[in-house]
């Protein structure tokens, strides 16, 4: 496996606990690699570094850097007092620590004082609608035409409700495509076509919420018959 390829980056990231699928890692890799030379990638929500390692490996090819914004919350699902140490160890192991600057802070607290350009924005932090609405405001630092990626975009109530505000007049993010529920937007007026593309994903969102309900009710067999062959939530 050659160094500097997606396969090499994924080999370093795939066993780090997290929720990023190989297709989604590939989308992050391709997007970061296609960004301007020496890009600044801002990641909201890093956990143990699965996505950070992919992004850090991509920007290492073009002289860029990743700013990882995460307060490392201590909760039942997304972290413990050990998370930051694991994150740092994973970056060291992947030899991307020198590409990543950690901003240990809640995205909503870091945003009001942030004042420099961002070439790629990746949102994967807190999933409630209020935080998502605030996280979308980081896109004011992203230039026209540049990418904004949102994880769990069509598999979480809070995120999807936040993203649906992009249907309003004057919105500045245009939906392009997705890998699973990792959605890629770009900065710019969505127009009618962009709005319809986003609306067309609503049946997929409803399907994912339905699967989550079935899994909560321990009806995994029915979920499997309906095409969700995993004990984990769709993402
Ligand atoms: C779903 S995990 C991120 C997964 C990571 N991107 C990966 O690929 O493995 C969510 C992370 O968001 C962090 N988080 C929670 N609230 C946050 C906030 N307000 N700002 C930034 N990060 C937050 C949590 O500490 C957790 O590490």
């Amino acid at each position: 496996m050659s160094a500097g390829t997606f396969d090499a980056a994924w080999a370093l990231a795939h066993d780090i606990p997290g929720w990023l699928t190989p297709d989604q890692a590939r989308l992050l890799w391709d997007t970061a690699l296609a960004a301007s030379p020496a890009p600044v990638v801002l990641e909201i929500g890093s956990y143990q570094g699965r996505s950070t390692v992919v992004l850090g490996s991509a920007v290492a090819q073009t002289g860029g850097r990743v700013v990882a914004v995460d307060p490392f919350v201590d909760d039942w699902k997304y972290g413990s007092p050990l998370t930051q140490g694991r994150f740092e160890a994973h970056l060291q192991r992947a030899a991307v620590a020198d590409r990543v600057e950690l901003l240990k802070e809640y995205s909503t607290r870091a945003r009001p004082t942030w004042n420099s350009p961002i070439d790629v924005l990746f949102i994967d932090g807190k999933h409630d609608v209020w935080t998502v609405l605030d996280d979308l405001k980081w896109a004011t630092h992203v230039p026209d035409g540049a990418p904004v990626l949102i994880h769990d975009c069509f598999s979480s109530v809070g995120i999807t409700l936040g993203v649906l505000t992009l249907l309003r007049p004057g919105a500045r993010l245009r939906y392009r495509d997705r890998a699973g529920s990792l959605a890629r937007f770009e900065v710019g007026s969505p127009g009618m076509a962009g709005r319809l593309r986003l609306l067309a994903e609503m049946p997929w969102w409803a399907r994912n919420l339905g699967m989550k309900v079935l899994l909560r009710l321990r009806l995994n067999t029915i979920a499997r018959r309906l095409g969700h062959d995993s004990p984990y939530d769709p993402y």
Side-chain angles (χ1 to χ4, degrees), residues 16-20 28 43-52 69-75 78-79 83 105-109 122 124-127 131 135 151-152:
I16 299 174
W19 297 266
L20 197 72
L28 287 186
E43 170 180 79
I44 297 173
S46 304
Y47 189 52
Q48 295 193 28
R50 188 173 168 106
S51 50
T52 326
V69 184
D70 197 316
F72 297 114
V73 297
D74 182 3
D75 74 13
Y78 291 124
T83 308
E105 184 52 285
Y106 291 89
S107 55
T108 47
R109 290 194 193 152
F122 171 46
D124 192 14
K126 197 169 182 196
H127 287 25
T131 305
D135 285 350
H151 199 243
D152 293 313

Side-chain angles (χ1 to χ4, degrees), residues 67-151:
V67 179
V69 184
D70 197 316
F72 297 114
V73 297
D74 182 3
D75 74 13
W76 68 275
K77 189 170 182 186
Y78 291 124
S80 77
L82 301 177
T83 308
Q84 182 177 348
R86 290 176 176 150
F87 168 79
E88 287 166 351
H90 291 141
L91 298 192
Q92 290 287 349
R93 186 189 72 171
V96 295
D98 61 337
R99 293 280 155 199
V100 180
E101 175 195 330
L102 172 63
L103 184 51
K104 188 177 175 187
E105 184 52 285
Y106 291 89
S107 55
T108 47
R109 290 194 193 152
R111 188 186 60 75
T113 53
W114 184 269
N115 58 12
S116 60
I118 297 166
D119 299 295
V120 177
L121 175 61
F122 171 46
I123 300 174
D124 192 14
K126 197 169 182 196
H127 287 25
D128 69 276
V129 67
W130 307 115
T131 305
V132 171
L133 288 173
D134 201 88
D135 285 350
L136 289 171
K137 294 181 184 166
W138 283 86
T140 57
H141 300 288
V142 182
D144 266 4
V148 174
L149 296 132
I150 306 175
H151 199 243

Side-chain angles (χ1 to χ4, degrees), residues 2 14 21 23 59 89 99 102 105-106 113 186 232 235:
S2 328
H14 81 280
T21 67
D23 284 356
V59 300
R99 293 280 155 199
L102 172 63
E105 184 52 285
Y106 291 89
T113 53
E186 64 191 11
Y232 304 110
Y235 51 85

Side-chain angles (χ1 to χ4, degrees), residues 24-45:
Q24 294 170 348
R26 165 72 78 169
L27 181 56
L28 287 186
W29 169 273
D30 288 344
T31 307
L33 209 59
S36 58
V40 174
V41 177
L42 189 127
E43 170 180 79
I44 297 173

Side-chain angles (χ1 to χ4, degrees), residues 163-186:
V163 161
L164 282 175
T165 62
L166 299 173
L167 295 171
R168 75 184 189 283
R172 294 292 300 151
L173 277 186
R174 178 166 52 233
Y175 175 57
R176 284 189 56 186
D177 53 12
R178 64 178 172 84
S181 266
L182 173 63
R184 176 164 48 173
F185 293 77
E186 64 191 11

